Amino acid sequence: MRNRGAMAVAAVAMAAGTLSGCSSDGDAQAAPSKTVLVPGRPGEPNRTEVAGPREPAEPTAAEVGFMQMMITHHAQALEMSALAPDRASDPRVRSLASRIDAAQKVEIATMRAWLKRNPKAVLKAHGRHGAHHAAMPGMATPEQLERLRNARGPAFDALYLNLMITHHEGALTMVKDVLDKGTDVTVQQMARDVQSTQLAEIGRMKDILDH
């Protein structure tokens, strides 16, 4: 019995010690900081500073613009690809269009979610670059889209592939404009994903046209 009592007292003491180390505002869950030595200038003593986690840098206007414009850019690729099931004659074209449709829908959802998470950066970018939607490279004209809607069979295949190659090349230009012009992990990774995916798809489309 005495052993049980001693164990209970020890458990209470440990719990009290743990609670005494936690503040009421939740500081115990904050990331730990550390003290670093900062050398002084000649003739001045060294000093110590507390180093801890820093707030991530705010997304740049270039990153906000990239995400906003790429949503519109992708939307046109979806519009073009939606025509393929009923109009394309080459199964490779239908398969490619299906992959583009699936992948870019996911990317659009990711970009919209990112913009929703960064309202201050979006507002700031709008103030500086209100006309950032003015020109997007690679976009098909209304006349080209109308021709694509009216095309069937091999004519559709060739027109779709040529328009989509130009469209992808425009996206690569947009990627080049944003890569390494910011620090946001999501944007920079998205740009690299677009770059690698669309480079591969351009190669695939050119191969279909050649064979």
Side-chain angles (χ1 to χ4, degrees), residues 90-105:
D90 191 326
R92 296 173 299 172
V93 173
R94 291 195 295 271
S95 177
L96 176 73
S98 177
R99 289 199 301 272
I100 290 174
D101 181 82
Q104 296 200 12
K105 280 179 178 175

Side-chain angles (χ1 to χ4, degrees), residues 28 41 50 130 139 161 185-186 192 207 209:
R41 287 188 260 182
V50 176
M139 293 286 281
L161 293 171
V185 174
T186 301
R192 287 180 170 81
D207 184 65
L209 284 170

Side-chain angles (χ1 to χ4, degrees), residues 58-78:
E58 186 177 272
T60 65
E63 290 175 317
V64 172
F66 172 79
M67 296 297 253
Q68 290 177 322
M69 289 190 294
M70 196 57 73
I71 288 172
T72 303
H73 208 266
H74 275 16
Q76 187 179 77
L78 296 182

Side-chain angles (χ1 to χ4, degrees), residues 79-90 93-94 97 144-164 209:
E79 181 183 357
M80 294 163 62
S81 296
L83 301 173
D86 296 331
R87 293 167 172 80
S89 60
D90 191 326
V93 173
R94 291 195 295 271
Q144 289 172 325
L145 291 175
E146 186 63 23
R147 283 176 54 207
L148 188 65
R149 292 188 195 99
N150 293 329
R152 296 290 189 280
F156 175 90
D157 297 341
L159 184 56
Y160 173 85
L161 293 171
N162 280 296
L163 289 177
M164 194 60 74
L209 284 170

Side-chain angles (χ1 to χ4, degrees), residues 16-38:
T18 301
L19 291 173
S20 66
C22 301
S23 64
S24 60
D25 60 3
D27 288 342
Q29 297 189 10
S33 59
K34 61 181 179 179
T35 301
V36 295
L37 183 66
V38 179

